[in-house]
Amino acid sequence: MRDNHLHTYFSYDAEARFEDYLTIYEGEIVTTEHFDLSNPYLGGPRDDVPDYQAYTEQIACLNRQYGNRIKKGIEIGYYAPREADTLAYLEGKDFDLKLLSVHHNGSFDYLEDEVLSLDRNEHIVAYLQEIERAIERIPADVLAHFDYGFRRLSLTVDELREFEPNLRTLFQKMMDYHLAFELNSKSMYLYDNEPLYLYALSILQEMGCKRYSIGSDGHYQRHFRLQFDRIKQILDDYGIQEEWLV
């Protein structure tokens, strides 16, 4: 299984080098660098845009050294007021893998404390609807960390079950647009949300989803392929076949 969600120093919040991953793993890697416009996180707002030319040149250089093991990727943070700018950036650029995320509302990132003061039910419904809009508007391959907007809320499965109709609507949209569902090991094992992902998988299995992606959301070498042995067991338990992985 390839780790489909990795960051390097081409992302605003990471310092990892490509070599940090390449030297401890013999397979293929793809880095998915952050693209977030009007990003309020860590002192924003600012536009966090990876330098595509420098990124491409660095990968080409390293591929000569490491046997063409590096693919190009991006994690597109959708923010509706900047949709046109997002599409303009993507135009004409070649990425092997595009993740789609919703990280913020223009005022704060959903990992910041401000999310704790929101009405929980209203926020979760609005967040899931915003992901649907992103899927409709931005071409991508993978829906990343479906739980990002409520990572900080420590939801139980019973609490998330209140939103099952919304989740089913979202997952159907995801499947209609041929995006893969990401099992995000940071969410699952650093935010203790494995039960939420197992619940989501039970819904997706019932709905007939056959596109999945595995990603560590790694910003550091120590998080690379985080708990992938456990995720492999989950894939087996849920009958997710290797050919269904992007």
Side-chain angles (χ1 to χ4, degrees), residues 101-116:
S101 304
V102 174
H103 290 130
H104 69 83
N105 60 8
S107 298
F108 55 86
D109 186 279
Y110 295 133
L111 293 185
E112 296 183 282
D113 290 343
E114 286 87 343
V115 74
L116 302 176

PDB file of all heavy atoms in Angstrom, residues 101-116:
ATOM      1  N   SER A 101      -9.816  18.500   0.288  1.00  0.00           N
ATOM      2  CA  SER A 101     -10.064  18.719   1.712  1.00  0.00           C
ATOM      3  C   SER A 101     -10.852  20.005   1.908  1.00  0.00           C
ATOM      4  O   SER A 101     -10.875  20.876   1.045  1.00  0.00           O
ATOM      5  CB  SER A 101      -8.740  18.850   2.481  1.00  0.00           C
ATOM      6  OG  SER A 101      -7.906  17.733   2.302  1.00  0.00           O
ATOM      7  N   VAL A 102     -11.455  20.123   3.086  1.00  0.00           N
ATOM      8  CA  VAL A 102     -11.979  21.400   3.573  1.00  0.00           C
ATOM      9  C   VAL A 102     -11.371  21.605   4.948  1.00  0.00           C
ATOM     10  O   VAL A 102     -11.682  20.858   5.882  1.00  0.00           O
ATOM     11  CB  VAL A 102     -13.519  21.407   3.640  1.00  0.00           C
ATOM     12  CG1 VAL A 102     -14.007  22.703   4.282  1.00  0.00           C
ATOM     13  CG2 VAL A 102     -14.125  21.251   2.247  1.00  0.00           C
ATOM     14  N   HIS A 103     -10.500  22.599   5.065  1.00  0.00           N
ATOM     15  CA  HIS A 103      -9.736  22.801   6.293  1.00  0.00           C
ATOM     16  C   HIS A 103     -10.229  23.959   7.147  1.00  0.00           C
ATOM     17  O   HIS A 103      -9.991  23.973   8.360  1.00  0.00           O
ATOM     18  CB  HIS A 103      -8.263  23.078   5.961  1.00  0.00           C
ATOM     19  CG  HIS A 103      -7.513  21.910   5.432  1.00  0.00           C
ATOM     20  ND1 HIS A 103      -6.754  21.956   4.287  1.00  0.00           N
ATOM     21  CD2 HIS A 103      -7.399  20.632   5.898  1.00  0.00           C
ATOM     22  CE1 HIS A 103      -6.187  20.784   4.066  1.00  0.00           C
ATOM     23  NE2 HIS A 103      -6.575  19.965   5.027  1.00  0.00           N
ATOM     24  N   HIS A 104     -10.855  24.960   6.529  1.00  0.00           N
ATOM     25  CA  HIS A 104     -11.178  26.170   7.298  1.00  0.00           C
ATOM     26  C   HIS A 104     -12.395  26.860   6.706  1.00  0.00           C
ATOM     27  O   HIS A 104     -12.867  26.530   5.612  1.00  0.00           O
ATOM     28  CB  HIS A 104      -9.970  27.118   7.327  1.00  0.00           C
ATOM     29  CG  HIS A 104      -9.638  27.743   5.999  1.00  0.00           C
ATOM     30  ND1 HIS A 104     -10.283  28.864   5.520  1.00  0.00           N
ATOM     31  CD2 HIS A 104      -8.724  27.415   5.052  1.00  0.00           C
ATOM     32  CE1 HIS A 104      -9.779  29.200   4.343  1.00  0.00           C
ATOM     33  NE2 HIS A 104      -8.835  28.331   4.025  1.00  0.00           N
ATOM     34  N   ASN A 105     -12.893  27.854   7.454  1.00  0.00           N
ATOM     35  CA  ASN A 105     -14.060  28.615   7.021  1.00  0.00           C
ATOM     36  C   ASN A 105     -13.719  30.070   6.698  1.00  0.00           C
ATOM     37  O   ASN A 105     -14.610  30.910   6.582  1.00  0.00           O
ATOM     38  CB  ASN A 105     -15.159  28.560   8.085  1.00  0.00           C
ATOM     39  CG  ASN A 105     -14.708  29.148   9.419  1.00  0.00           C
ATOM     40  OD1 ASN A 105     -13.619  29.729   9.527  1.00  0.00           O
ATOM     41  ND2 ASN A 105     -15.531  28.992  10.439  1.00  0.00           N
ATOM     42  N   GLY A 106     -12.427  30.367   6.590  1.00  0.00           N
ATOM     43  CA  GLY A 106     -11.994  31.729   6.332  1.00  0.00           C
ATOM     44  C   GLY A 106     -11.641  32.486   7.583  1.00  0.00           C
ATOM     45  O   GLY A 106     -10.834  33.428   7.539  1.00  0.00           O
ATOM     46  N   SER A 107     -12.217  32.089   8.710  1.00  0.00           N
ATOM     47  CA  SER A 107     -11.931  32.741   9.996  1.00  0.00           C
ATOM     48  C   SER A 107     -10.996  31.916  10.853  1.00  0.00           C
ATOM     49  O   SER A 107     -10.146  32.465  11.557  1.00  0.00           O
ATOM     50  CB  SER A 107     -13.242  32.985  10.763  1.00  0.00           C
ATOM     51  OG  SER A 107     -14.100  33.845  10.053  1.00  0.00           O
ATOM     52  N   PHE A 108     -11.143  30.602  10.826  1.00  0.00           N
ATOM     53  CA  PHE A 108     -10.264  29.728  11.596  1.00  0.00           C
ATOM     54  C   PHE A 108     -10.223  28.352  10.960  1.00  0.00           C
ATOM     55  O   PHE A 108     -11.148  27.931  10.267  1.00  0.00           O
ATOM     56  CB  PHE A 108     -10.693  29.628  13.063  1.00  0.00           C
ATOM     57  CG  PHE A 108     -12.115  29.200  13.275  1.00  0.00           C
ATOM     58  CD1 PHE A 108     -12.460  27.865  13.322  1.00  0.00           C
ATOM     59  CD2 PHE A 108     -13.122  30.149  13.440  1.00  0.00           C
ATOM     60  CE1 PHE A 108     -13.772  27.464  13.519  1.00  0.00           C
ATOM     61  CE2 PHE A 108     -14.442  29.762  13.638  1.00  0.00           C
ATOM     62  CZ  PHE A 108     -14.760  28.416  13.673  1.00  0.00           C
ATOM     63  N   ASP A 109      -9.118  27.668  11.200  1.00  0.00           N
ATOM     64  CA  ASP A 109      -8.970  26.267  10.802  1.00  0.00           C
ATOM     65  C   ASP A 109      -9.738  25.403  11.795  1.00  0.00           C
ATOM     66  O   ASP A 109      -9.836  25.735  12.984  1.00  0.00           O
ATOM     67  CB  ASP A 109      -7.483  25.900  10.805  1.00  0.00           C
ATOM     68  CG  ASP A 109      -7.223  24.502  10.265  1.00  0.00           C
ATOM     69  OD1 ASP A 109      -7.396  23.522  11.025  1.00  0.00           O
ATOM     70  OD2 ASP A 109      -6.833  24.394   9.097  1.00  0.00           O
ATOM     71  N   TYR A 110     -10.246  24.276  11.305  1.00  0.00           N
ATOM     72  CA  TYR A 110     -11.085  23.437  12.158  1.00  0.00           C
ATOM     73  C   TYR A 110     -10.301  22.655  13.204  1.00  0.00           C
ATOM     74  O   TYR A 110     -10.907  21.937  14.013  1.00  0.00           O
ATOM     75  CB  TYR A 110     -11.930  22.505  11.298  1.00  0.00           C
ATOM     76  CG  TYR A 110     -12.919  23.258  10.432  1.00  0.00           C
ATOM     77  CD1 TYR A 110     -13.065  22.957   9.083  1.00  0.00           C
ATOM     78  CD2 TYR A 110     -13.689  24.283  10.964  1.00  0.00           C
ATOM     79  CE1 TYR A 110     -13.963  23.653   8.286  1.00  0.00           C
ATOM     80  CE2 TYR A 110     -14.591  24.986  10.177  1.00  0.00           C
ATOM     81  CZ  TYR A 110     -14.724  24.677   8.839  1.00  0.00           C
ATOM     82  OH  TYR A 110     -15.610  25.374   8.061  1.00  0.00           O
ATOM     83  N   LEU A 111      -8.981  22.794  13.214  1.00  0.00           N
ATOM     84  CA  LEU A 111      -8.196  22.238  14.313  1.00  0.00           C
ATOM     85  C   LEU A 111      -7.966  23.258  15.423  1.00  0.00           C
ATOM     86  O   LEU A 111      -7.411  22.914  16.471  1.00  0.00           O
ATOM     87  CB  LEU A 111      -6.838  21.735  13.801  1.00  0.00           C
ATOM     88  CG  LEU A 111      -6.863  20.533  12.863  1.00  0.00           C
ATOM     89  CD1 LEU A 111      -5.438  20.083  12.556  1.00  0.00           C
ATOM     90  CD2 LEU A 111      -7.666  19.378  13.442  1.00  0.00           C
ATOM     91  N   GLU A 112      -8.390  24.495  15.227  1.00  0.00           N
ATOM     92  CA  GLU A 112      -8.177  25.529  16.228  1.00  0.00           C
ATOM     93  C   GLU A 112      -9.302  25.529  17.258  1.00  0.00           C
ATOM     94  O   GLU A 112     -10.399  24.999  17.018  1.00  0.00           O
ATOM     95  CB  GLU A 112      -8.044  26.888  15.543  1.00  0.00           C
ATOM     96  CG  GLU A 112      -6.814  26.962  14.635  1.00  0.00           C
ATOM     97  CD  GLU A 112      -6.618  28.323  14.014  1.00  0.00           C
ATOM     98  OE1 GLU A 112      -7.326  28.635  13.037  1.00  0.00           O
ATOM     99  OE2 GLU A 112      -5.750  29.061  14.488  1.00  0.00           O
ATOM    100  N   ASP A 113      -9.026  26.150  18.408  1.00  0.00           N
ATOM    101  CA  ASP A 113      -9.965  26.097  19.528  1.00  0.00           C
ATOM    102  C   ASP A 113     -11.325  26.690  19.198  1.00  0.00           C
ATOM    103  O   ASP A 113     -12.332  26.308  19.816  1.00  0.00           O
ATOM    104  CB  ASP A 113      -9.378  26.824  20.737  1.00  0.00           C
ATOM    105  CG  ASP A 113      -8.197  26.101  21.364  1.00  0.00           C
ATOM    106  OD1 ASP A 113      -8.029  24.895  21.072  1.00  0.00           O
ATOM    107  OD2 ASP A 113      -7.455  26.738  22.131  1.00  0.00           O
ATOM    108  N   GLU A 114     -11.388  27.604  18.237  1.00  0.00           N
ATOM    109  CA  GLU A 114     -12.658  28.250  17.920  1.00  0.00           C
ATOM    110  C   GLU A 114     -13.746  27.258  17.528  1.00  0.00           C
ATOM    111  O   GLU A 114     -14.932  27.504  17.733  1.00  0.00           O
ATOM    112  CB  GLU A 114     -12.464  29.265  16.786  1.00  0.00           C
ATOM    113  CG  GLU A 114     -11.753  30.530  17.191  1.00  0.00           C
ATOM    114  CD  GLU A 114     -10.236  30.425  17.106  1.00  0.00           C
ATOM    115  OE1 GLU A 114      -9.723  29.280  17.052  1.00  0.00           O
ATOM    116  OE2 GLU A 114      -9.574  31.473  17.093  1.00  0.00           O
ATOM    117  N   VAL A 115     -13.337  26.117  16.972  1.00  0.00           N
ATOM    118  CA  VAL A 115     -14.339  25.134  16.552  1.00  0.00           C
ATOM    119  C   VAL A 115     -15.121  24.601  17.749  1.00  0.00           C
ATOM    120  O   VAL A 115     -16.284  24.191  17.612  1.00  0.00           O
ATOM    121  CB  VAL A 115     -13.671  23.976  15.773  1.00  0.00           C
ATOM    122  CG1 VAL A 115     -12.906  23.039  16.711  1.00  0.00           C
ATOM    123  CG2 VAL A 115     -14.696  23.199  14.954  1.00  0.00           C
ATOM    124  N   LEU A 116     -14.517  24.647  18.927  1.00  0.00           N
ATOM    125  CA  LEU A 116     -15.167  24.106  20.121  1.00  0.00           C
ATOM    126  C   LEU A 116     -16.334  24.974  20.582  1.00  0.00           C
ATOM    127  O   LEU A 116     -17.185  24.510  21.354  1.00  0.00           O
ATOM    128  CB  LEU A 116     -14.146  23.967  21.250  1.00  0.00           C
ATOM    129  CG  LEU A 116     -12.933  23.084  20.945  1.00  0.00           C
ATOM    130  CD1 LEU A 116     -11.951  23.114  22.098  1.00  0.00           C
ATOM    131  CD2 LEU A 116     -13.362  21.653  20.641  1.00  0.00           C
TER     132      LEU A 116
END
